Amino acid sequence: MTVIEDRIAMADNADDIDSRPELTLDVMFEALEKMPVPEGYKVEIVGGNIYMAPQRDIHWQIIRRIVRLLEDRFGMDVNVFSDVRIDFPGELNGFAPDVAKLRDGAEKNPQGRWRYGDVEFVAEVISKKTADNDYGPKRLTYALAEVPVYLIVDPYQGRCRLFTQPKSGDYTTETKIAFGDDVDLTDTVVDLTVETDAFPRD
């Protein structure tokens, strides 16, 4: 039993097991909100597993640069967010992308959350402890959700990996770009160029 399951369990014995709430993203996030999560930590649920990672200054500098590029390209009213929960397909995938751009006209669902089907662009700036998620299950989940453009920025290795053209649960195109070279997104839905020469390294 996980810590969250233990926290949300309403019964301590087998006779009362049916009184436990079904383990859903809402139940898990509600339990997390009651726990002493340190300030400045990003919390995500990937495949039913909870991950917490501190927001580092270098990561935030990269995130801020990408957000500014999107605002410059689409205007200040663009639907772009950082660390906002979006529920993605698959079993218990409540992600909080470092950067998520939604299509024009996107609206929240009846529960007050953004729909994954409206996400056009995601950028993740990796942390050492959660890098496997960004390269693995999150990449596959974004592809399953048909997010057209997924960019991973790796300040440890000084490179980016760009994934486009999702099909059948994975991306069919992958491009590696070293810091100092431009990430060319002009033929994608975001239609811009990401200059990486000023991205800091960790």
Side-chain angles (χ1 to χ4, degrees):
M1 181 178 292
T2 68
V3 173
I4 291 299
E5 287 174 311
D6 205 30
R7 286 275 182 142
I8 66 172
M10 297 173 65
D12 292 324
N13 60 60
D15 293 335
D16 295 326
I17 193 114
D18 290 337
S19 66
R20 292 182 183 181
E22 179 185 356
L23 191 61
T24 66
L25 287 172
D26 286 340
V27 169
M28 294 177 78
F29 275 110
E30 183 179 338
L32 280 166
E33 289 172 5
K34 296 176 182 175
M35 294 174 65
V37 177
E39 186 176 347
Y41 272 67
K42 173 179 174 176
V43 179
E44 293 187 299
I45 299 174
V46 181
N49 297 305
I50 298 163
Y51 294 89
M52 298 183 192
Q55 180 69 268
R56 298 170 59 87
D57 56 348
I58 287 176
H59 291 68
W60 173 239
Q61 289 175 39
I62 295 171
I63 291 165
R64 188 183 61 189
R65 288 176 189 276
I66 295 171
V67 169
R68 284 181 175 174
L69 280 171
L70 291 166
E71 289 176 342
D72 288 346
R73 170 67 181 85
F74 294 99
M76 293 301 292
D77 292 332
V78 63
N79 280 330
V80 61
F81 306 100
S82 179
D83 293 345
V84 172
R85 173 186 166 188
I86 301 174
D87 296 346
F88 283 88
E91 185 175 359
L92 299 176
N93 286 319
F95 299 166
D98 288 328
V99 181
K101 182 207 174 291
L102 279 60
R103 67 173 180 83
D104 290 344
E107 295 182 358
K108 292 183 178 180
N109 65 20
Q111 291 74 41
R113 287 188 292 278
W114 297 106
R115 297 175 169 91
Y116 71 81
D118 289 331
V119 179
E120 291 186 325
F121 169 80
V122 167
E124 298 282 12
V125 182
I126 71 162
S127 299
K128 286 183 177 178
K129 292 185 177 179
T130 59
D132 289 344
N133 285 339
D134 294 327
Y135 286 117
K138 289 180 76 173
R139 185 196 84 232
L140 296 176
T141 300
Y142 290 141
L144 182 64
E146 297 187 347
V147 174
V149 183
Y150 176 37
L151 177 66
I152 297 176
V153 182
D154 186 337
Y156 304 102
Q157 297 186 28
R159 71 177 185 189
C160 300
R161 285 172 67 178
L162 174 65
F163 299 91
T164 58
Q165 300 179 14
K167 183 178 180 181
S168 302
D170 203 351
Y171 286 97
T172 60
T173 302
E174 175 184 353
T175 307
K176 296 179 183 179
I177 304 104
F179 279 18
D181 295 331
D182 293 345
V183 180
D184 184 2
L185 303 177
T186 55
D187 62 348
T188 72
V189 291
V190 289
D191 188 24
L192 57 79
T193 299
V194 180
E195 296 179 355
T196 68
D197 54 347
F199 280 1
R201 296 188 61 156
D202 204 343

